[in-house]
Amino acid sequence: MNRKRPGLSGTPAGRASVICRPAVVGALAVCLLLGATSAMADVYKYRDAQGVVHLTNVPQQSSNEPYKLWRKGEATKPKGWQDGYRVLPKLDRERFADVVNRFSVRHGVDPSLVRAVIHAESAFRPDVVSPKGAGGLMQLMPGTAKRFNVVDRFNPEENIAGGVAYLALLLKMFRGDRELAVAAYNAGENAVKRYGGIPPYQETKTYVRRVMQLQAAYAGAG
């Protein structure tokens, strides 16, 4: 069931709007709007004849107000959500900590990076399968699983072992550059080589940004 959030005073359900005088348009207005909406929402702007700026995340299709895209929303939810999982589970960040630490030490990979990838890929769920066929905690494709001798992608220990081994290979391949390694984990190492950097795919750019944010959070939390 789709449930729409109530809008701000007088706005339709699911729509959050901010009306600003020119003098206050800026960070405050954006914070007010984004605080009332999903972090993934696009923001549209319209300036009326009186010079008043209207911001909204859901411009009405039937409206004569010429709203234009002003700020593109950023995907901040786990990749599993973007791939179509309808219910975002409660994260159990510590459930596989021992396994993550063991294989991180074995392959010389920062455990905070491994945890960030697991968080972004599956939200720590060992049983998920993406529409593209990636499976398990670190969302290994069948070919990647075979490459790293993973027999059962849905066995958490095997999945983490294969995923960490793959991250270690990518880090070595790209001389320790975490962003390139993470981009390759998402888009494939050949894509990173072909473009000489992070491929110009929106999904990959968002994914890299997300994983880097998550790693910083995990590293800060110890």
Side-chain angles (χ1 to χ4, degrees):
M1 180 184 298
N2 292 325
R3 297 182 179 177
K4 294 184 177 180
R5 297 173 54 184
L8 298 180
S9 58
T11 59
R15 179 183 182 184
S17 297
V18 175
I19 299 176
C20 307
R21 297 292 177 183
V24 300
V25 173
L28 176 60
V30 173
C31 289
L32 286 172
L33 176 64
L34 297 186
T37 63
S38 166
M40 295 185 72
D42 293 340
V43 181
Y44 297 83
K45 182 175 74 171
Y46 158 62
R47 186 187 298 273
D48 66 22
Q50 287 71 45
V52 178
V53 174
H54 304 254
L55 302 178
T56 182
N57 66 310
V58 185
Q60 291 178 297
Q61 297 299 320
S62 60
S63 173
N64 292 324
E65 301 166 347
Y67 278 100
K68 294 183 179 180
L69 182 62
W70 179 58
R71 180 188 176 104
K72 186 72 176 172
E74 295 182 357
T76 59
K77 296 183 184 297
K79 178 174 175 289
W81 178 283
Q82 299 171 34
D83 280 348
Y85 305 129
R86 296 297 180 236
V87 179
L88 186 63
K90 181 178 180 180
L91 298 179
D92 187 351
R93 299 178 179 88
E94 301 302 326
R95 183 178 174 189
F96 304 105
D98 290 344
V99 180
V100 167
N101 290 336
R102 175 157 35 100
F103 287 107
S104 294
V105 170
R106 178 178 299 181
H107 293 286
V109 178
D110 189 329
S112 67
L113 179 60
V114 177
R115 295 175 74 186
V117 169
I118 294 174
H119 187 148
E121 289 286 351
S122 68
F124 291 88
R125 295 178 62 192
D127 58 340
V128 294
V129 180
S130 80
K132 296 179 181 179
L137 285 165
M138 299 189 73
Q139 292 287 278
L140 303 180
M141 294 294 287
T144 305
K146 184 177 181 180
R147 181 180 181 184
F148 292 95
N149 302 312
V150 176
V151 176
D152 182 359
R153 291 182 294 158
F154 303 101
N155 177 296
E157 187 159 335
E158 285 193 50
N159 188 286
I160 291 173
V164 176
Y166 187 33
L167 273 176
L169 181 148
L170 294 173
L171 286 165
K172 182 177 180 181
M173 182 179 297
F174 297 107
R175 300 181 180 181
D177 189 313
R178 292 175 302 149
E179 292 193 356
L180 293 185
V182 169
Y185 194 93
N186 175 262
E189 57 218 58
N190 289 332
V192 175
K193 291 177 180 178
R194 182 165 63 251
Y195 286 103
I198 297 174
Y201 312 144
Q202 187 57 51
E203 176 190 331
T204 301
K205 292 190 290 185
T206 298
Y207 178 81
V208 171
R209 184 166 58 248
R210 174 65 172 161
V211 172
M212 293 300 98
Q213 290 171 344
L214 286 167
Q215 182 182 14
Y218 281 119

